Structures are given as structure tokens and as C-alpha cells.
Amino acid sequence: MKSIYDLYTIRRRLMKKNALWIITAVLTAGFLGAMYSVAPAYVCSSYLISSVFMYFISVYISMNLHEKENDVFEEVLLLHTKSDTEYYLSREMLQIRMCLIYALILSFFPVIYPVIRPGYFTRAVTPNDLICGGLMIVFCGICGAETGDFFHPRFIGRKYGICGAILITVLAVCKEGLIRTFAAFKILDIITPPITDSLVLLGNTDSFDITAILLIVLHMFLFSLAVMLIKVKLLKRFGYRM
């Protein structure tokens, strides 16, 4: 029987043959090049825009990963695991690992860039900026990974899955305006990831409120956990595609 680490290692090695690494690296490099091309820039807004980008790229990563899954291979892996919990956790570990790599790049780039280009930001980047901005980027990435993986082709068609992910993302981005228009749209705070809450919170300022940021991060964590648990139940309920 294989342990969770063995399963994760197998998945990680298979990922080396996937062009996903190249595509996401190019997308990230293009984003950083465009994002940090115009000076001066605000520190907090740079972090928060990067967190929204992290959400989008994580949705792409997770949907690409589950689309590449071979159901026969996955069923064999499941049969050779000690428990189905370890099998599903190894899936989560792979996609979160990929997201964390890009999250770290996006988090530390504002710290490194002023060394290359002094005076780019309107003020110096502080440890508080790195912590708050980094947390937002990491958890937006996790939200994106879980949102994308929720629309798995085992229980929803590929085309419908893509449409569903786009719909949830558009609602998440537009929910503040919708809520102001009609109070019933408040339900969107529960069923969509809070990826733009921090932008609304920031307003016209350029300083993080660490308490408010931690509350948003907690919201993201709970949303991601709920989506993951529902997704795993659905994956257990629906059989493999043959």
C-alpha cells in the first residue's frame, strides 16, 4: 500500500511531462512585466491585483490538472492506497504545491523589484506588506485551485465546467456592485470566493489593516475547505470515466 507521500511523488513526477509549467510560467512573466512597467505604483494595490491574478492562474492550473487525469490510472492509485482520504489529499497537495510556487514569486517580487528599479513604489515595502499581501496571494491561489477543481469532468461536462468556473469568477468579481444594486445578491458572499473583498477594503489608502485582512483570509480558508469537502463527496459519488 502506498502512503500519501508516495502518491504525491508519483503525481509530481508525472507533472514534469506536462506543458502546464511552461504555460503558467509564461503567463506569470507576462503579468509581472505588464504589472510593473509603469511607475510610480502603490504597494498594497500591487499585491492585491497580484492576488486576483493568482486566483485566475490557479483556476487554470487545477482545471488543466483534472482534465489530464487518466481515470484508469487514478483508479489503480486509489486501489493501492491505505485509504481514500490519502488519495484525495495527494490530489490537493499537487495543485496547491503548484499554486504556492507562483504565489511565492508574486509575493516576493515587490520586495526584490525596488532593488532593481529604485523609486518604483511610492513608499518602501514593509514586512507588514509582505505578510498581508503574501497571505492574500496564497489564499486567493488556494481559492482558485479549489474553485477550478470543483468543476471536475467526472461529474460535470468539460464545456459546462468551464462555463461554471467562468460564471462563478464573474460573480465573484462583480458581486460588490450587484449587492449595492439588490440586497438579495448578498448570498454571493457565501457562494463565491472573496477575491475582491480586500480591494474594496483598501479603497484609496495604501496600508493594510491586518485584522481585516486576517478575517478575509479566514473567509477564503473556510470557503476553500467547504468547496473541497463537497467536491470530494461528489468525486466519491460519481464513478470514473471509462
Side-chain angles (χ1 to χ4, degrees), residues 14-149:
L14 288 173
M15 269 303 301
K16 292 180 180 179
K17 302 176 182 179
N18 196 325
L20 180 61
W21 283 109
I22 299 173
I23 297 171
T24 49
V26 170
L27 289 173
T28 303
F31 168 78
L32 290 174
M35 176 75 181
Y36 294 95
S37 60
V38 181
Y42 293 104
V43 175
C44 295
S45 58
S46 296
Y47 269 111
L48 297 184
I49 293 172
S50 294
S51 70
V52 176
F53 170 78
M54 188 67 227
Y55 169 84
F56 281 103
I57 200 171
S58 296
V59 170
Y60 173 74
I61 287 171
S62 61
M63 295 193 80
N64 186 282
L65 286 176
H66 70 219
E67 184 63 30
K68 298 292 184 183
E69 284 181 352
N70 181 293
D71 280 11
V72 174
F73 177 76
E74 292 295 322
E75 193 166 15
V76 170
L77 277 185
L78 180 58
L79 290 172
H80 285 81
T81 57
K82 297 175 181 177
S83 68
D84 57 357
T85 301
E86 292 189 349
Y87 165 79
Y88 288 109
L89 282 176
S90 69
R91 291 185 75 257
E92 302 300 322
M93 288 170 62
L94 179 66
Q95 63 184 14
I96 290 176
R97 170 184 176 266
M98 285 197 68
C99 294
L100 284 177
I101 290 171
Y102 293 105
L104 288 173
I105 294 172
L106 293 171
S107 298
F108 282 95
F109 195 82
V111 178
I112 299 169
Y113 194 64
V115 177
I116 304 170
R117 190 176 175 184
Y120 175 78
F121 289 114
T122 55
R123 63 175 178 80
V125 180
T126 66
N128 184 64
D129 296 324
L130 178 59
I131 293 170
C132 293
L135 283 173
M136 287 301 305
I137 291 172
V138 168
F139 279 90
C140 270
I142 294 173
C143 272
E146 295 302 335
T147 301
D149 200 34

Side-chain angles (χ1 to χ4, degrees), residues 116-204:
I116 304 170
R117 190 176 175 184
Y120 175 78
F121 289 114
T122 55
R123 63 175 178 80
V125 180
T126 66
N128 184 64
D129 296 324
L130 178 59
I131 293 170
C132 293
L135 283 173
M136 287 301 305
I137 291 172
V138 168
F139 279 90
C140 270
I142 294 173
C143 272
E146 295 302 335
T147 301
D149 200 34
F150 180 79
F151 297 97
H152 198 286
R154 265 170 60 185
F155 50 82
I156 185 170
R158 183 174 182 271
K159 293 181 180 179
Y160 294 113
I162 293 173
C163 291
I166 292 173
L167 176 62
I168 289 295
T169 299
V170 170
L171 290 175
V173 172
C174 301
K175 70 175 182 179
E176 293 300 327
L178 293 172
I179 291 171
R180 292 194 194 100
T181 304
F182 189 43
F185 283 115
K186 193 73 177 174
I187 188 67
L188 294 177
D189 278 332
I190 299 174
I191 64 173
T192 61
I195 57 174
T196 59
D197 289 16
S198 55
L199 290 167
V200 177
L201 173 69
L202 184 65
N204 295 321

